[in-house]
């Protein structure tokens, strides 16, 4: 397969039509190779400003490229092979708080803001944990206590915790192969892509959620439905009485010592897209992972409650069983999902933030390892690439520990 790079694509009207990126095609291959690094040029966004004094990263480089692991095919692969095979844009590994490798591909630079996709959910979770500790947000309360506009919708009777764990019984199909699924209309409602000529639906997430119908019992099954994170984000805004971007800036981004701004796609009502619209630099993505790895602190400064991270790292038997009945169980046996984090190892508390097209955070607190990876893979989800990334990260963990 010929692999175009970001340098081959863009908004330039003088470019060949097959190389031109626009609002209608930016999430599709090959255009995503350029677009995931230029979201602000394609969509409406809001900004979380960088820290007035960013935290310097300490580099202690190690050669990891030749490190080998067994790929899902059974073949022996290497870290360098994995980075190439999985369409990597940026890759950073931190061990014991120090950067051991930082690499950029596909024209990405240290100050480039890259789309996080669904890793945005885990950043949203950090703000939720802070609000819970402050007493502003109560997870056992119904979503409609915070968003009465959703009364009579499929959200009625569902709690904030159930939305955090993807256990709300609503009719919402997120099968990316189904182009008639509800996820496609959510893309329009959240202003990811333009409405078609026959679209008459809402253009903001709250109005869109009002139209979702019930489908099953709340709290019984795990179904990955991104719209639930948008509901959580809106509940958070109502609970703290502030715009998310301001709250996140004060509570997370500035204390983290972020080197660059974070920007988010917004809908027509100005709501940030909590489930997948955030963009940041690779270094700040890794700073966030390192903070989570360090129990919610940067040096001696507490940011996210340690209790929230511990709660999110370890799944109950019930959460593991629910995940084991889901459509993800075959690809990810023994995993769980809790508080917007994927749990790779439920015994050791290895956590992951995952986004389509290959966005990944891998956090192993026991081994003091945090890995951040940006990608622009052509497929929404490629199980082979996803699992090879996991195996490569675990090989790095074994090697460094």
């Amino acid at each position: 397969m010929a692999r175009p790079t970001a340098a081959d694509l863009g908004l330039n009207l003088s470019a060949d039509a097959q190389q031109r990126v626009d609002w209608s095609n930016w999430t599709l291959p090959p255009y995503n190779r350029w677009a995931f690094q230029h979201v602000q040029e394609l969509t409406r966004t809001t900004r979380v400003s960088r820290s007035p004094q960013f935290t310097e990263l300490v580099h202690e480089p190690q050669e990891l490229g030749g490190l080998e692991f067994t790929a899902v095919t059974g073949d022996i692969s290497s870290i360098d092979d994995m980075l190439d095979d999985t369409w990597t844009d940026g890759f950073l590994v931190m061990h014991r708080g120090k950067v051991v490798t930082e690499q950029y591909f596909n024209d990405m630079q240290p100050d480039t803001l890259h789309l996080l996709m669904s890793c945005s959910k885990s950043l949203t979770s950090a703000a939720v944990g802070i609000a819970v500790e402050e007493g502003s947000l109560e997870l056992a309360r119904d979503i409609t206590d915070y968003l009465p506009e959703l009364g009579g919708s499929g959200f009625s009777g569902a709690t904030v915790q159930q939305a955090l764990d993807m256990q709300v019984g609503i009719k919402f199909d997120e099968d990316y192969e189904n182009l008639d699924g509800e996820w496609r209309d959510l893309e329009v409602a959240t202003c990811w892509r333009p409405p078609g000529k026959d679209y008459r639906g809402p253009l903001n997430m709250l109005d869109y959620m009002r139209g979702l119908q019930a489908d099953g019992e709340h709290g019984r099954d795990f179904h990955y439905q991104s719209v639930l994170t948008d509901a959580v984000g809106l509940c958070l805004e109502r609970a703290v009485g502030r715009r998310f971007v301001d709250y996140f800036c004060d509570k997370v981004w500035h204390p983290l010592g972020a080197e660059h701004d974070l920007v988010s796609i917004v809908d027509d009502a100005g709501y940030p897209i909590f489930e997948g619209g955030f963009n940041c630099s690779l270094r700040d993505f890794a700073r966030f992972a390192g903070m989570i790895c360090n129990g919610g602190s940067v040096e001696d400064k507490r940011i996210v409650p340690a209790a929230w991270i511990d709660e999110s790292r370890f799944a109950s038997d019930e959460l593991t069983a629910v995940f084991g009945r889901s459509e993800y169980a075959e690809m990810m046996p023994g995993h769980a999902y809790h508080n917007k984090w994927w749990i790779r190892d439920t015994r050791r508390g290895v956590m992951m933030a995952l986004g389509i097209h290959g966005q990944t955070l891998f956090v192993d607190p026991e081994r003091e390892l945090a890995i951040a990876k940006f990608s622009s893979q052509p497929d929404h989800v490629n199980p082979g690439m996803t699992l090879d990334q996991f195996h490569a990260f675990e090989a790095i963990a074994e090697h460094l520990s």
Side-chain angles (χ1 to χ4, degrees), residues 172 182 185-186 189 202 204-212 227:
F172 185 89
E182 284 81 4
D185 285 343
L186 180 63
N204 69 77
M205 63 177 67
L206 186 56
D207 284 346
Y208 174 79
M209 286 188 281
R210 293 173 66 181
L212 293 177
V227 69

Side-chain angles (χ1 to χ4, degrees), residues 100-178:
V100 296
T101 190
E102 179 180 357
Q103 301 178 62
Y104 296 93
F105 309 86
N106 188 34
D107 277 8
M108 187 171 175
Q109 304 297 322
D111 61 351
T112 301
L113 304 187
H114 194 289
L115 183 63
L116 275 63
M117 288 293 188
S118 286
C119 295
S120 307
K121 296 176 172 68
S122 302
L123 273 67
T124 300
S125 172
V128 168
I130 294 168
V132 168
E133 184 182 61
E134 291 176 341
S136 304
L137 182 66
E138 298 179 37
L139 303 185
R141 291 184 64 180
D142 285 356
I143 291 170
T144 52
D145 289 344
Y146 296 104
L147 303 172
E149 300 95 324
L150 299 184
S153 75
F155 287 91
S156 292
T159 67
V160 177
Q161 183 64 68
Q162 288 165 344
L164 280 165
D165 292 340
M166 299 286 190
Q167 294 184 27
V168 176
I170 54 169
K171 185 179 184 301
F172 185 89
D173 181 2
E174 196 157 337
D175 177 0
Y176 300 116
E177 300 300 317
N178 180 12

Side-chain angles (χ1 to χ4, degrees), residues 312-390:
S312 303
R313 286 177 59 198
F314 298 103
S316 66
D317 291 342
E318 181 181 0
L319 282 169
T320 305
V322 168
F323 190 92
R325 299 194 301 267
S326 75
E327 61 270 29
Y328 285 86
E330 182 176 356
M331 175 182 167
M332 304 167 75
H335 289 57
Y337 188 92
H338 190 33
N339 290 340
K340 302 303 175 190
W341 286 93
W342 301 82
I343 306 175
R344 171 73 170 166
D345 187 326
T346 58
R347 180 183 60 84
R348 293 181 52 251
V350 178
M351 314 163 70
M352 302 183 300
L354 301 177
I356 57 174
H357 300 284
Q359 322 320 319
T360 312
L361 287 181
F362 184 91
V363 181
D364 186 341
E366 186 177 294
R367 288 175 167 155
E368 300 177 87
L369 179 73
I371 299 177
K373 184 177 186 292
F374 283 137
S375 311
S376 48
Q377 296 170 8
D379 299 324
H380 286 90
V381 179
N382 183 307
M385 289 186 188
T386 301
L387 294 175
D388 278 349
Q389 291 179 161
F390 298 170

Side-chain angles (χ1 to χ4, degrees), residues 30-66:
Y31 310 105
N32 62 336
R33 294 285 282 164
W34 182 87
F36 287 1
Q37 300 181 42
H38 297 269
V39 169
Q40 293 178 87
E41 298 174 54
L42 292 156
T43 67
R44 180 182 173 190
T45 59
T46 189
R47 182 175 69 96
V48 176
S49 67
R50 64 186 182 274
S51 176
Q53 185 172 3
F54 70 86
T55 303
E56 292 279 2
L57 295 178
V58 178
H59 288 71
E60 288 191 357
Q62 295 193 38
E63 175 52 50
L64 301 176

Side-chain angles (χ1 to χ4, degrees), residues 261-274:
D261 295 347
L262 177 146
V263 301
S264 176
I265 302 170
V266 294
D267 65 14
D268 267 9
Y271 297 126
I273 311 308
F274 305 98

